[in-house]
Amino acid sequence: QVQLQESGPGLVKPSETLSLICNVSGVSIRSHYWSWLRQPAGKGLEWIGRIYATGTAVYNPSLNSRVSMSVDTSKHEFSMHLSSVTAADTARYFCARVSVAAVYYFDVWGQGTLATVSS
Amino acid sequence: QSALTQPRSVSGSPGQSVTISCTGTSNDVGDYNYVSWYQQHPGKAPKLMIYDVTERPSGVPDRFSGSKSGNTASLTISGLRTDDEADYYCCSYGGPHNLEVMFGGGTKLTVL
């Protein structure tokens, strides 16, 4: 079955760049769009953006100047980089598969990885 | 403050039905049928329960149903079970001039 697994540093210092990787198994990474979302502790979900295997990406405008995504088809993984992080970026970050029904739905999720911004 | 408005909490007894509302505007929920709902148990990833306002992904019980009227979408859970207790989030396409994917603040469902 389709599985997604996030990995990342766990702790990032303020003003540095948070880099996360999502490994995809059970399906070709070329066959779907892929997204990142995040959820601060005790709060709601926020969509960060999505990317296709070609590298075409769409980002949340509120993060647009700080976020970038990429895909490495040879490694079956996609990644997210969030620059100039602050405490407000502390959250659990999820990678997810975008549904074929529409690019606004997420039908398979990773378990999430906690990223804490602290000095 | 979330773009879509949901009640913070709802509750019901096993076997009963509950409805969770999700209010947007005429620019998002009211203008497009790209509404989805997610269930999230504590410490777990969200799970897609409804998409296209009313459609259920394979494996989601038909106890879960979605609807929309005007700017408000709703998720109804019938025949409540204790394992339905979770947080529920609505999500909508925000339109071409807005945030593309917007979520509600979430509703905590308690099954008494």
Side-chain angles (χ1 to χ4, degrees), chain A residues 51-72:
Chain A
I51 189 165
Y52 193 60
T54 56
T56 302
V58 178
Y59 303 127
N60 183 326
S62 70
L63 301 170
N64 194 38
S65 62
R66 298 196 293 130
V67 68
S68 65
M69 296 180 184
S70 60
V71 176
D72 188 333

PDB file of all heavy atoms in Angstrom, chain A residues 51-72:
ATOM      1  N   ILE A  51       3.639  19.989  -5.023  1.00  0.00           N
ATOM      2  CA  ILE A  51       4.610  19.887  -6.093  1.00  0.00           C
ATOM      3  C   ILE A  51       4.315  18.665  -6.931  1.00  0.00           C
ATOM      4  O   ILE A  51       3.790  17.657  -6.432  1.00  0.00           O
ATOM      5  CB  ILE A  51       6.049  19.840  -5.527  1.00  0.00           C
ATOM      6  CG1 ILE A  51       7.073  19.960  -6.664  1.00  0.00           C
ATOM      7  CG2 ILE A  51       6.278  18.585  -4.673  1.00  0.00           C
ATOM      8  CD1 ILE A  51       8.456  20.273  -6.203  1.00  0.00           C
ATOM      9  N   TYR A  52       4.638  18.750  -8.203  1.00  0.00           N
ATOM     10  CA  TYR A  52       4.495  17.618  -9.103  1.00  0.00           C
ATOM     11  C   TYR A  52       5.895  17.097  -9.447  1.00  0.00           C
ATOM     12  O   TYR A  52       6.900  17.781  -9.215  1.00  0.00           O
ATOM     13  CB  TYR A  52       3.746  18.041 -10.367  1.00  0.00           C
ATOM     14  CG  TYR A  52       3.267  16.893 -11.218  1.00  0.00           C
ATOM     15  CD1 TYR A  52       2.385  15.938 -10.721  1.00  0.00           C
ATOM     16  CD2 TYR A  52       3.710  16.746 -12.528  1.00  0.00           C
ATOM     17  CE1 TYR A  52       1.960  14.873 -11.485  1.00  0.00           C
ATOM     18  CE2 TYR A  52       3.283  15.688 -13.307  1.00  0.00           C
ATOM     19  CZ  TYR A  52       2.412  14.753 -12.782  1.00  0.00           C
ATOM     20  OH  TYR A  52       1.997  13.698 -13.551  1.00  0.00           O
ATOM     21  N   ALA A  53       5.952  15.916 -10.023  1.00  0.00           N
ATOM     22  CA  ALA A  53       7.245  15.291 -10.324  1.00  0.00           C
ATOM     23  C   ALA A  53       8.090  16.129 -11.279  1.00  0.00           C
ATOM     24  O   ALA A  53       9.323  16.029 -11.271  1.00  0.00           O
ATOM     25  CB  ALA A  53       7.025  13.900 -10.896  1.00  0.00           C
ATOM     26  N   THR A  54       7.440  16.964 -12.062  1.00  0.00           N
ATOM     27  CA  THR A  54       8.182  17.809 -13.005  1.00  0.00           C
ATOM     28  C   THR A  54       8.884  18.966 -12.303  1.00  0.00           C
ATOM     29  O   THR A  54       9.700  19.650 -12.907  1.00  0.00           O
ATOM     30  CB  THR A  54       7.230  18.398 -14.053  1.00  0.00           C
ATOM     31  OG1 THR A  54       6.184  19.106 -13.365  1.00  0.00           O
ATOM     32  CG2 THR A  54       6.600  17.300 -14.900  1.00  0.00           C
ATOM     33  N   GLY A  55       8.512  19.179 -11.037  1.00  0.00           N
ATOM     34  CA  GLY A  55       9.070  20.289 -10.284  1.00  0.00           C
ATOM     35  C   GLY A  55       8.144  21.484 -10.183  1.00  0.00           C
ATOM     36  O   GLY A  55       8.443  22.441  -9.450  1.00  0.00           O
ATOM     37  N   THR A  56       7.033  21.435 -10.902  1.00  0.00           N
ATOM     38  CA  THR A  56       6.051  22.523 -10.817  1.00  0.00           C
ATOM     39  C   THR A  56       5.449  22.568  -9.426  1.00  0.00           C
ATOM     40  O   THR A  56       4.954  21.553  -8.919  1.00  0.00           O
ATOM     41  CB  THR A  56       4.931  22.299 -11.842  1.00  0.00           C
ATOM     42  OG1 THR A  56       5.492  22.223 -13.145  1.00  0.00           O
ATOM     43  CG2 THR A  56       3.931  23.445 -11.787  1.00  0.00           C
ATOM     44  N   ALA A  57       5.494  23.740  -8.801  1.00  0.00           N
ATOM     45  CA  ALA A  57       5.032  23.862  -7.416  1.00  0.00           C
ATOM     46  C   ALA A  57       4.112  25.067  -7.243  1.00  0.00           C
ATOM     47  O   ALA A  57       4.222  26.060  -7.965  1.00  0.00           O
ATOM     48  CB  ALA A  57       6.218  23.990  -6.467  1.00  0.00           C
ATOM     49  N   VAL A  58       3.207  24.924  -6.278  1.00  0.00           N
ATOM     50  CA  VAL A  58       2.323  26.016  -5.869  1.00  0.00           C
ATOM     51  C   VAL A  58       2.433  26.124  -4.363  1.00  0.00           C
ATOM     52  O   VAL A  58       2.354  25.108  -3.661  1.00  0.00           O
ATOM     53  CB  VAL A  58       0.859  25.735  -6.273  1.00  0.00           C
ATOM     54  CG1 VAL A  58      -0.041  26.869  -5.792  1.00  0.00           C
ATOM     55  CG2 VAL A  58       0.748  25.556  -7.773  1.00  0.00           C
ATOM     56  N   TYR A  59       2.591  27.362  -3.885  1.00  0.00           N
ATOM     57  CA  TYR A  59       2.802  27.552  -2.448  1.00  0.00           C
ATOM     58  C   TYR A  59       1.712  28.419  -1.830  1.00  0.00           C
ATOM     59  O   TYR A  59       1.067  29.231  -2.500  1.00  0.00           O
ATOM     60  CB  TYR A  59       4.161  28.220  -2.199  1.00  0.00           C
ATOM     61  CG  TYR A  59       5.339  27.478  -2.779  1.00  0.00           C
ATOM     62  CD1 TYR A  59       6.258  28.127  -3.608  1.00  0.00           C
ATOM     63  CD2 TYR A  59       5.541  26.130  -2.497  1.00  0.00           C
ATOM     64  CE1 TYR A  59       7.348  27.456  -4.133  1.00  0.00           C
ATOM     65  CE2 TYR A  59       6.619  25.450  -3.035  1.00  0.00           C
ATOM     66  CZ  TYR A  59       7.526  26.114  -3.851  1.00  0.00           C
ATOM     67  OH  TYR A  59       8.602  25.440  -4.378  1.00  0.00           O
ATOM     68  N   ASN A  60       1.542  28.257  -0.528  1.00  0.00           N
ATOM     69  CA  ASN A  60       0.687  29.135   0.248  1.00  0.00           C
ATOM     70  C   ASN A  60       1.289  30.544   0.183  1.00  0.00           C
ATOM     71  O   ASN A  60       2.449  30.726   0.536  1.00  0.00           O
ATOM     72  CB  ASN A  60       0.628  28.630   1.699  1.00  0.00           C
ATOM     73  CG  ASN A  60      -0.296  29.439   2.588  1.00  0.00           C
ATOM     74  OD1 ASN A  60      -0.438  30.644   2.430  1.00  0.00           O
ATOM     75  ND2 ASN A  60      -0.914  28.759   3.531  1.00  0.00           N
ATOM     76  N   PRO A  61       0.507  31.532  -0.259  1.00  0.00           N
ATOM     77  CA  PRO A  61       1.059  32.892  -0.390  1.00  0.00           C
ATOM     78  C   PRO A  61       1.668  33.438   0.898  1.00  0.00           C
ATOM     79  O   PRO A  61       2.611  34.229   0.843  1.00  0.00           O
ATOM     80  CB  PRO A  61      -0.164  33.708  -0.817  1.00  0.00           C
ATOM     81  CG  PRO A  61      -1.063  32.740  -1.479  1.00  0.00           C
ATOM     82  CD  PRO A  61      -0.878  31.453  -0.723  1.00  0.00           C
ATOM     83  N   SER A  62       1.151  33.014   2.034  1.00  0.00           N
ATOM     84  CA  SER A  62       1.675  33.548   3.298  1.00  0.00           C
ATOM     85  C   SER A  62       3.086  33.037   3.592  1.00  0.00           C
ATOM     86  O   SER A  62       3.799  33.615   4.410  1.00  0.00           O
ATOM     87  CB  SER A  62       0.740  33.185   4.450  1.00  0.00           C
ATOM     88  OG  SER A  62       0.796  31.800   4.726  1.00  0.00           O
ATOM     89  N   LEU A  63       3.488  31.969   2.905  1.00  0.00           N
ATOM     90  CA  LEU A  63       4.817  31.388   3.095  1.00  0.00           C
ATOM     91  C   LEU A  63       5.666  31.465   1.838  1.00  0.00           C
ATOM     92  O   LEU A  63       6.832  31.056   1.858  1.00  0.00           O
ATOM     93  CB  LEU A  63       4.696  29.914   3.509  1.00  0.00           C
ATOM     94  CG  LEU A  63       3.926  29.620   4.790  1.00  0.00           C
ATOM     95  CD1 LEU A  63       3.689  28.112   4.913  1.00  0.00           C
ATOM     96  CD2 LEU A  63       4.675  30.133   6.001  1.00  0.00           C
ATOM     97  N   ASN A  64       5.097  31.998   0.788  1.00  0.00           N
ATOM     98  CA  ASN A  64       5.686  31.925  -0.546  1.00  0.00           C
ATOM     99  C   ASN A  64       7.136  32.387  -0.599  1.00  0.00           C
ATOM    100  O   ASN A  64       7.965  31.790  -1.288  1.00  0.00           O
ATOM    101  CB  ASN A  64       4.840  32.740  -1.506  1.00  0.00           C
ATOM    102  CG  ASN A  64       5.161  32.448  -2.954  1.00  0.00           C
ATOM    103  OD1 ASN A  64       5.415  31.302  -3.329  1.00  0.00           O
ATOM    104  ND2 ASN A  64       5.173  33.472  -3.779  1.00  0.00           N
ATOM    105  N   SER A  65       7.452  33.436   0.142  1.00  0.00           N
ATOM    106  CA  SER A  65       8.813  33.976   0.046  1.00  0.00           C
ATOM    107  C   SER A  65       9.824  33.134   0.816  1.00  0.00           C
ATOM    108  O   SER A  65      11.035  33.307   0.638  1.00  0.00           O
ATOM    109  CB  SER A  65       8.837  35.415   0.566  1.00  0.00           C
ATOM    110  OG  SER A  65       8.456  35.433   1.939  1.00  0.00           O
ATOM    111  N   ARG A  66       9.350  32.213   1.657  1.00  0.00           N
ATOM    112  CA  ARG A  66      10.269  31.443   2.505  1.00  0.00           C
ATOM    113  C   ARG A  66      10.297  29.950   2.191  1.00  0.00           C
ATOM    114  O   ARG A  66      11.147  29.234   2.708  1.00  0.00           O
ATOM    115  CB  ARG A  66       9.879  31.607   3.986  1.00  0.00           C
ATOM    116  CG  ARG A  66       9.968  33.031   4.512  1.00  0.00           C
ATOM    117  CD  ARG A  66       9.943  33.018   6.035  1.00  0.00           C
ATOM    118  NE  ARG A  66       8.664  32.577   6.596  1.00  0.00           N
ATOM    119  CZ  ARG A  66       8.547  31.644   7.542  1.00  0.00           C
ATOM    120  NH1 ARG A  66       9.615  31.050   8.034  1.00  0.00           N
ATOM    121  NH2 ARG A  66       7.351  31.322   8.018  1.00  0.00           N
ATOM    122  N   VAL A  67       9.376  29.478   1.380  1.00  0.00           N
ATOM    123  CA  VAL A  67       9.266  28.033   1.184  1.00  0.00           C
ATOM    124  C   VAL A  67       9.661  27.631  -0.225  1.00  0.00           C
ATOM    125  O   VAL A  67       9.453  28.393  -1.188  1.00  0.00           O
ATOM    126  CB  VAL A  67       7.823  27.553   1.490  1.00  0.00           C
ATOM    127  CG1 VAL A  67       6.833  28.075   0.454  1.00  0.00           C
ATOM    128  CG2 VAL A  67       7.774  26.042   1.595  1.00  0.00           C
ATOM    129  N   SER A  68      10.246  26.469  -0.345  1.00  0.00           N
ATOM    130  CA  SER A  68      10.511  25.861  -1.637  1.00  0.00           C
ATOM    131  C   SER A  68      10.365  24.353  -1.497  1.00  0.00           C
ATOM    132  O   SER A  68      10.550  23.811  -0.404  1.00  0.00           O
ATOM    133  CB  SER A  68      11.908  26.220  -2.152  1.00  0.00           C
ATOM    134  OG  SER A  68      12.900  25.661  -1.313  1.00  0.00           O
ATOM    135  N   MET A  69      10.008  23.722  -2.609  1.00  0.00           N
ATOM    136  CA  MET A  69       9.843  22.267  -2.618  1.00  0.00           C
ATOM    137  C   MET A  69      10.560  21.690  -3.830  1.00  0.00           C
ATOM    138  O   MET A  69      10.728  22.372  -4.841  1.00  0.00           O
ATOM    139  CB  MET A  69       8.355  21.899  -2.675  1.00  0.00           C
ATOM    140  CG  MET A  69       7.572  22.345  -1.462  1.00  0.00           C
ATOM    141  SD  MET A  69       5.828  21.879  -1.571  1.00  0.00           S
ATOM    142  CE  MET A  69       5.201  22.648  -0.068  1.00  0.00           C
ATOM    143  N   SER A  70      10.941  20.449  -3.719  1.00  0.00           N
ATOM    144  CA  SER A  70      11.598  19.769  -4.830  1.00  0.00           C
ATOM    145  C   SER A  70      11.261  18.287  -4.785  1.00  0.00           C
ATOM    146  O   SER A  70      10.795  17.781  -3.758  1.00  0.00           O
ATOM    147  CB  SER A  70      13.109  19.989  -4.778  1.00  0.00           C
ATOM    148  OG  SER A  70      13.645  19.471  -3.565  1.00  0.00           O
ATOM    149  N   VAL A  71      11.482  17.625  -5.918  1.00  0.00           N
ATOM    150  CA  VAL A  71      11.232  16.190  -6.028  1.00  0.00           C
ATOM    151  C   VAL A  71      12.489  15.511  -6.542  1.00  0.00           C
ATOM    152  O   VAL A  71      13.131  16.004  -7.479  1.00  0.00           O
ATOM    153  CB  VAL A  71      10.058  15.910  -6.987  1.00  0.00           C
ATOM    154  CG1 VAL A  71       9.876  14.400  -7.155  1.00  0.00           C
ATOM    155  CG2 VAL A  71       8.771  16.533  -6.463  1.00  0.00           C
ATOM    156  N   ASP A  72      12.836  14.392  -5.937  1.00  0.00           N
ATOM    157  CA  ASP A  72      13.935  13.556  -6.426  1.00  0.00           C
ATOM    158  C   ASP A  72      13.328  12.201  -6.802  1.00  0.00           C
ATOM    159  O   ASP A  72      13.109  11.350  -5.941  1.00  0.00           O
ATOM    160  CB  ASP A  72      15.010  13.388  -5.358  1.00  0.00           C
ATOM    161  CG  ASP A  72      16.253  12.684  -5.882  1.00  0.00           C
ATOM    162  OD1 ASP A  72      16.131  11.892  -6.845  1.00  0.00           O
ATOM    163  OD2 ASP A  72      17.338  12.898  -5.319  1.00  0.00           O
TER     164      ASP A  72
END
